CSV table of all heavy atoms in Angstrom, one decimal:
chain,number,residue,atom,x,y,z
A,147,GLY,N,-11.6,18.5,27.2
A,147,GLY,CA,-11.1,19.0,28.5
A,147,GLY,C,-11.1,17.7,29.5
A,147,GLY,O,-11.7,16.7,29.3
A,148,ASN,N,-10.2,18.0,30.5
A,148,ASN,CA,-10.1,16.9,31.6
A,148,ASN,C,-9.4,17.4,32.8
A,148,ASN,O,-8.4,18.1,32.7
A,148,ASN,CB,-9.2,15.8,31.0
A,148,ASN,CG,-9.2,14.4,31.7
A,148,ASN,OD1,-10.3,14.2,32.4
A,148,ASN,ND2,-8.3,13.6,31.7
A,149,ARG,N,-10.1,17.2,33.9
A,149,ARG,CA,-9.6,17.6,35.2
A,149,ARG,C,-8.1,17.1,35.4
A,149,ARG,O,-7.7,15.9,35.0
A,149,ARG,CB,-10.3,17.0,36.3
A,149,ARG,CG,-11.5,17.7,36.7
A,149,ARG,CD,-11.9,17.3,38.1
A,149,ARG,NE,-12.2,16.0,38.2
A,149,ARG,CZ,-13.3,15.3,38.0
A,149,ARG,NH1,-14.5,16.0,37.8
A,149,ARG,NH2,-13.4,14.0,38.1
A,150,GLY,N,-7.2,18.0,35.8
A,150,GLY,CA,-5.8,17.7,36.1
A,150,GLY,C,-4.9,17.7,34.7
A,150,GLY,O,-3.7,17.4,34.7
A,151,GLN,N,-5.5,18.1,33.7
A,151,GLN,CA,-4.7,18.3,32.4
A,151,GLN,C,-4.8,19.5,31.6
A,151,GLN,O,-4.9,19.4,30.4
A,151,GLN,CB,-5.1,17.0,31.4
A,151,GLN,CG,-4.7,15.6,32.0
A,151,GLN,CD,-4.8,14.6,31.0
A,151,GLN,OE1,-5.7,14.4,30.3
A,151,GLN,NE2,-3.5,13.8,30.9
A,152,ALA,N,-4.8,20.7,32.2
A,152,ALA,CA,-5.1,21.9,31.7
A,152,ALA,C,-4.0,22.2,30.6
A,152,ALA,O,-4.2,22.6,29.4
A,152,ALA,CB,-5.0,23.1,32.7
A,153,ASN,N,-2.7,21.9,30.9
A,153,ASN,CA,-1.7,22.1,29.9
A,153,ASN,C,-1.8,21.2,28.7
A,153,ASN,O,-1.6,21.6,27.5
A,153,ASN,CB,-0.3,21.9,30.6
A,153,ASN,CG,-0.2,20.7,31.5
A,153,ASN,OD1,-1.2,19.8,31.6
A,153,ASN,ND2,1.0,20.4,32.0
A,154,TYR,N,-2.0,20.0,29.0
A,154,TYR,CA,-2.2,18.9,27.9
A,154,TYR,C,-3.4,19.2,27.0
A,154,TYR,O,-3.2,19.2,25.9
A,154,TYR,CB,-2.2,17.5,28.6
A,154,TYR,CG,-2.2,16.4,27.7
A,154,TYR,CD1,-1.1,15.9,27.1
A,154,TYR,CD2,-3.3,15.6,27.5
A,154,TYR,CE1,-1.1,14.8,26.3
A,154,TYR,CE2,-3.3,14.4,26.7
A,154,TYR,CZ,-2.3,14.1,26.1
A,154,TYR,OH,-2.2,12.9,25.3
A,155,ALA,N,-4.5,19.4,27.8
A,155,ALA,CA,-5.8,19.7,26.9
A,155,ALA,C,-5.6,21.0,26.0
A,155,ALA,O,-6.1,20.9,24.9
A,155,ALA,CB,-7.0,19.9,27.9
A,156,ALA,N,-5.0,21.9,26.6
A,156,ALA,CA,-4.8,23.1,25.8
A,156,ALA,C,-3.8,22.8,24.6
A,156,ALA,O,-4.0,23.3,23.5
A,156,ALA,CB,-4.2,24.3,26.6
A,157,ALA,N,-2.8,22.1,24.8
A,157,ALA,CA,-1.8,21.8,23.8
A,157,ALA,C,-2.5,20.9,22.7
A,157,ALA,O,-2.3,21.2,21.5
A,157,ALA,CB,-0.7,21.0,24.3
A,158,LYS,N,-3.3,20.0,23.1
A,158,LYS,CA,-4.0,19.1,22.2
A,158,LYS,C,-5.1,19.8,21.3
A,158,LYS,O,-5.3,19.4,20.2
A,158,LYS,CB,-4.5,17.8,22.9
A,158,LYS,CG,-3.3,16.9,23.4
A,158,LYS,CD,-2.5,16.4,22.4
A,158,LYS,CE,-1.5,15.3,22.8
A,158,LYS,NZ,-0.5,14.9,21.8
A,159,ALA,N,-5.8,20.6,22.1
A,159,ALA,CA,-6.8,21.5,21.3
A,159,ALA,C,-6.1,22.4,20.3
A,159,ALA,O,-6.5,22.6,19.2
A,159,ALA,CB,-7.6,22.4,22.4
A,160,GLY,N,-5.0,23.0,20.8
A,160,GLY,CA,-4.2,23.8,19.9
A,160,GLY,C,-3.8,23.1,18.6
A,160,GLY,O,-3.8,23.6,17.5
A,161,LEU,N,-3.4,21.8,18.8
A,161,LEU,CA,-3.0,21.0,17.6
A,161,LEU,C,-4.2,20.8,16.7
A,161,LEU,O,-3.9,20.8,15.4
A,161,LEU,CB,-2.6,19.6,18.2
A,161,LEU,CG,-1.7,18.7,17.4
A,161,LEU,CD1,-0.5,19.5,16.9
A,161,LEU,CD2,-1.2,17.5,18.3
A,162,ILE,N,-5.4,20.8,17.1
A,162,ILE,CA,-6.6,20.6,16.3
A,162,ILE,C,-6.7,22.0,15.4
A,162,ILE,O,-6.9,21.9,14.2
A,162,ILE,CB,-7.8,20.3,17.1
A,162,ILE,CG1,-7.7,18.9,17.7
A,162,ILE,CG2,-9.0,20.4,16.3
A,162,ILE,CD1,-8.7,18.4,18.5
A,163,GLY,N,-6.6,23.1,16.1
A,163,GLY,CA,-6.6,24.4,15.4
A,163,GLY,C,-5.6,24.4,14.3
A,163,GLY,O,-5.8,25.0,13.3
A,164,PHE,N,-4.4,24.0,14.6
A,164,PHE,CA,-3.3,24.0,13.8
A,164,PHE,C,-3.5,23.0,12.6
A,164,PHE,O,-3.3,23.4,11.4
A,164,PHE,CB,-1.9,23.5,14.5
A,164,PHE,CG,-0.8,23.4,13.7
A,164,PHE,CD1,-0.2,24.5,13.0
A,164,PHE,CD2,-0.2,22.1,13.4
A,164,PHE,CE1,0.9,24.3,12.2
A,164,PHE,CE2,0.9,21.9,12.6
A,164,PHE,CZ,1.5,23.0,11.9
A,165,THR,N,-4.1,21.9,12.8
A,165,THR,CA,-4.4,20.9,11.8
A,165,THR,C,-5.5,21.5,10.8
A,165,THR,O,-5.2,21.5,9.6
A,165,THR,CB,-5.1,19.6,12.5
A,165,THR,OG1,-4.3,19.1,13.4
A,165,THR,CG2,-5.6,18.7,11.4
A,166,LYS,N,-6.5,22.2,11.3
A,166,LYS,CA,-7.4,22.7,10.4
A,166,LYS,C,-6.9,23.9,9.6
A,166,LYS,O,-7.2,24.1,8.5
A,166,LYS,CB,-8.6,23.2,11.2
A,166,LYS,CG,-9.4,22.0,11.9
A,166,LYS,CD,-10.6,22.5,12.7
A,166,LYS,CE,-11.3,21.3,13.2
A,166,LYS,NZ,-12.5,21.6,14.0
A,167,THR,N,-6.0,24.6,10.2
A,167,THR,CA,-5.3,25.8,9.6
A,167,THR,C,-4.4,25.2,8.4
A,167,THR,O,-4.4,25.8,7.2
A,167,THR,CB,-4.6,26.6,10.5
A,167,THR,OG1,-5.4,27.1,11.4
A,167,THR,CG2,-3.8,27.8,9.8
A,168,MET,N,-3.6,24.1,8.7
A,168,MET,CA,-2.8,23.6,7.6
A,168,MET,C,-3.7,23.1,6.5
A,168,MET,O,-3.3,23.1,5.2
A,168,MET,CB,-2.0,22.4,8.1
A,168,MET,CG,-0.9,22.9,9.1
A,168,MET,SD,0.3,24.1,8.3
A,168,MET,CE,-0.4,25.6,8.9
A,169,ALA,N,-4.8,22.5,6.8
A,169,ALA,CA,-5.8,22.0,5.7
A,169,ALA,C,-6.1,23.1,4.8
A,169,ALA,O,-6.1,23.1,3.5
A,169,ALA,CB,-6.9,21.3,6.4
A,170,LYS,N,-6.4,24.3,5.4
A,170,LYS,CA,-6.9,25.4,4.6
A,170,LYS,C,-5.7,26.1,3.9
A,170,LYS,O,-5.9,26.5,2.7
A,170,LYS,CB,-7.5,26.5,5.6
A,170,LYS,CG,-8.9,26.1,6.1
A,170,LYS,CD,-9.6,27.1,6.8
A,170,LYS,CE,-11.0,26.5,7.2
A,170,LYS,NZ,-11.8,27.5,7.8
A,171,GLU,N,-4.6,26.3,4.5
A,171,GLU,CA,-3.5,27.0,3.8
A,171,GLU,C,-2.9,26.1,2.7
A,171,GLU,O,-2.4,26.7,1.7
A,171,GLU,CB,-2.3,27.2,4.9
A,171,GLU,CG,-2.7,28.4,5.7
A,171,GLU,CD,-1.5,28.8,6.7
A,171,GLU,OE1,-0.4,28.2,6.6
A,171,GLU,OE2,-1.7,29.7,7.6
A,172,TYR,N,-2.8,24.8,2.9
A,172,TYR,CA,-2.0,24.0,1.9
A,172,TYR,C,-2.9,23.0,1.1
A,172,TYR,O,-2.3,22.2,0.3
A,172,TYR,CB,-0.9,23.3,2.6
A,172,TYR,CG,0.1,24.2,3.0
A,172,TYR,CD1,0.2,24.8,4.4
A,172,TYR,CD2,1.1,24.7,2.1
A,172,TYR,CE1,1.1,25.8,4.7
A,172,TYR,CE2,2.0,25.6,2.5
A,172,TYR,CZ,2.0,26.2,3.7
A,172,TYR,OH,3.0,27.1,4.0
A,173,GLY,N,-4.2,23.0,1.3
A,173,GLY,CA,-5.1,22.1,0.4
A,173,GLY,C,-4.8,22.2,-1.1
A,173,GLY,O,-4.8,21.3,-1.8
A,174,ARG,N,-4.7,23.4,-1.6
A,174,ARG,CA,-4.6,23.7,-2.9
A,174,ARG,C,-3.3,23.1,-3.5
A,174,ARG,O,-3.1,23.0,-4.7
A,174,ARG,CB,-4.6,25.2,-3.2
A,174,ARG,CG,-5.9,25.9,-3.0
A,174,ARG,CD,-6.9,25.3,-4.0
A,174,ARG,NE,-8.3,25.7,-3.5
A,174,ARG,CZ,-9.0,26.7,-4.0
A,174,ARG,NH1,-8.5,27.5,-4.9
A,174,ARG,NH2,-10.2,26.9,-3.5
A,175,ARG,N,-2.4,22.8,-2.6
A,175,ARG,CA,-1.1,22.2,-3.0
A,175,ARG,C,-1.1,20.7,-2.8
A,175,ARG,O,-0.1,20.1,-2.8
A,175,ARG,CB,0.1,22.9,-2.2
A,175,ARG,CG,0.2,24.3,-2.3
A,175,ARG,CD,1.5,24.8,-2.9
A,175,ARG,NE,1.5,26.1,-3.2
A,175,ARG,CZ,1.6,27.2,-2.3
A,175,ARG,NH1,1.9,26.9,-1.0
A,175,ARG,NH2,1.7,28.4,-2.7
A,176,ASN,N,-2.3,20.2,-2.7
A,176,ASN,CA,-2.5,18.7,-2.6
A,176,ASN,C,-1.9,18.3,-1.3
A,176,ASN,O,-1.4,17.1,-1.3
A,176,ASN,CB,-2.0,18.1,-3.8
A,176,ASN,CG,-2.6,16.6,-3.8
A,176,ASN,OD1,-3.5,16.4,-3.3
A,176,ASN,ND2,-1.7,15.7,-4.4
A,177,ILE,N,-1.8,19.1,-0.2
A,177,ILE,CA,-1.4,18.6,1.1
A,177,ILE,C,-2.5,18.5,2.0
A,177,ILE,O,-3.3,19.4,2.2
A,177,ILE,CB,-0.3,19.6,1.7
A,177,ILE,CG1,0.9,19.7,0.7
A,177,ILE,CG2,0.1,19.1,3.1
A,177,ILE,CD1,1.8,21.0,1.1
A,178,ARG,N,-2.7,17.3,2.5
A,178,ARG,CA,-3.8,17.1,3.4
A,178,ARG,C,-3.2,17.0,4.9
A,178,ARG,O,-2.1,16.7,5.1
A,178,ARG,CB,-4.4,15.8,3.2
A,178,ARG,CG,-5.1,15.8,1.8
A,178,ARG,CD,-6.0,14.4,1.6
A,178,ARG,NE,-5.2,13.2,1.6
A,178,ARG,CZ,-5.3,12.3,2.5
A,178,ARG,NH1,-6.2,12.4,3.6
A,178,ARG,NH2,-4.5,11.2,2.5
A,179,CYS,N,-4.0,17.6,5.8
A,179,CYS,CA,-3.7,17.5,7.2
A,179,CYS,C,-4.8,17.2,8.1
A,179,CYS,O,-5.9,17.8,8.0
A,179,CYS,CB,-3.1,19.0,7.6
A,179,CYS,SG,-2.4,19.0,9.3
A,180,ASN,N,-4.7,16.1,8.9
A,180,ASN,CA,-5.7,15.6,9.7
A,180,ASN,C,-5.2,15.2,11.0
A,180,ASN,O,-4.0,15.2,11.2
A,180,ASN,CB,-6.4,14.3,9.1
A,180,ASN,CG,-7.1,14.6,7.8
A,180,ASN,OD1,-8.2,15.2,7.7
A,180,ASN,ND2,-6.5,14.3,6.6
A,181,ALA,N,-6.1,15.1,12.0
A,181,ALA,CA,-5.7,14.8,13.4
A,181,ALA,C,-6.4,13.5,13.8
A,181,ALA,O,-7.5,13.2,13.4
A,181,ALA,CB,-6.1,15.9,14.3
A,182,VAL,N,-5.8,12.7,14.7
A,182,VAL,CA,-6.4,11.6,15.3
A,182,VAL,C,-6.5,12.0,16.9
A,182,VAL,O,-5.5,12.5,17.4
A,182,VAL,CB,-5.5,10.3,15.1
A,182,VAL,CG1,-6.1,9.2,15.9
A,182,VAL,CG2,-5.4,10.0,13.6
A,183,ALA,N,-7.6,11.7,17.4
A,183,ALA,CA,-7.9,12.0,18.9
A,183,ALA,C,-8.0,10.7,19.7
A,183,ALA,O,-9.2,10.3,19.7
A,183,ALA,CB,-8.9,12.9,19.0
A,184,PRO,N,-6.9,10.1,20.1
A,184,PRO,CA,-7.2,8.8,20.9
A,184,PRO,C,-7.8,9.1,22.3
A,184,PRO,O,-7.6,10.1,22.8
A,184,PRO,CB,-5.7,8.3,21.1
A,184,PRO,CG,-4.9,9.1,20.1
A,184,PRO,CD,-5.6,10.4,20.0
Side-chain angles (χ1 to χ4, degrees):
N148 197 24
R149 271 197 308 263
Q151 293 198 303
N153 49 357
Y154 184 72
K158 294 299 189 181
L161 202 48
I162 291 172
F164 176 64
T165 301
K166 293 182 179 182
T167 301
M168 288 304 96
K170 289 187 175 181
E171 282 186 5
Y172 288 98
R174 293 294 165 98
R175 304 237 168 83
N176 194 32
I177 300 166
R178 297 186 297 113
C179 185
N180 292 289
V182 176

